[in-house]
Amino acid sequence: QVQLVESGGGLVQAGASLKVSCVASGLPFSSYTMGWFRQAPGKKRQFVAGITWSGGSTNYADSVKGRFTISRDNAKNTVYLQMNSLKLEDTAVYTCAADSSGRWVPEDGYDYWGQGTQVTVSS
């Protein structure tokens, strides 16, 4: 049974940093592209960042480029999202996802999804 479990969300002030994690089990983690998505209240889920199986290639939404960094530790079956200079508009549920295709795919191409962790940025 595949499980993706996020953690590390919380309430922070604007300008602060936060690191969220996603631990995967039940799948060959080092073979999967991993992605982070977010969904704010009343809005559609959006792509935030992605990282290939080796960590050799990353991809970011324009809204987070230069502020967020995705990384992974295949020995720990974990993908991270380091979020710096947080803004009010970063408030959302952050969810990780796993894709086995080996290429960048749209949101509906991901195979497995976690339940998400809430990140709230206050002024």
Side-chain angles (χ1 to χ4, degrees), residues 38 46-49 59-67 87:
R38 68 185 182 186
Q46 63 176 188
F47 171 80
V48 176
N59 192 18
Y60 295 93
D62 288 343
S63 59
V64 306
K65 279 181 183 176
R67 299 189 299 122
K87 304 176 180 180

Side-chain angles (χ1 to χ4, degrees), residues 43-82:
K43 295 188 177 182
K44 291 178 62 176
R45 184 164 58 190
Q46 63 176 188
F47 171 80
V48 176
I51 187 167
T52 53
W53 65 273
S54 66
S57 181
T58 57
N59 192 18
Y60 295 93
D62 288 343
S63 59
V64 306
K65 279 181 183 176
R67 299 189 299 122
F68 289 13
T69 302
I70 189 171
S71 62
R72 66 190 296 161
D73 185 338
N74 286 343
K76 295 182 178 180
N77 283 8
T78 303
V79 60
Y80 306 97
L81 185 68
Q82 174 69 48

Side-chain angles (χ1 to χ4, degrees), residues 11-15 86-89 91 120-123:
L11 173 64
V12 296
Q13 287 193 319
L86 282 161
K87 304 176 180 180
L88 296 179
E89 52 264 40
T91 295
T120 303
V121 184
S122 65
S123 58

Side-chain angles (χ1 to χ4, degrees), residues 19-30:
K19 188 174 185 178
V20 293
S21 304
C22 169
V23 178
S25 60
L27 77 171
F29 180 76
S30 60

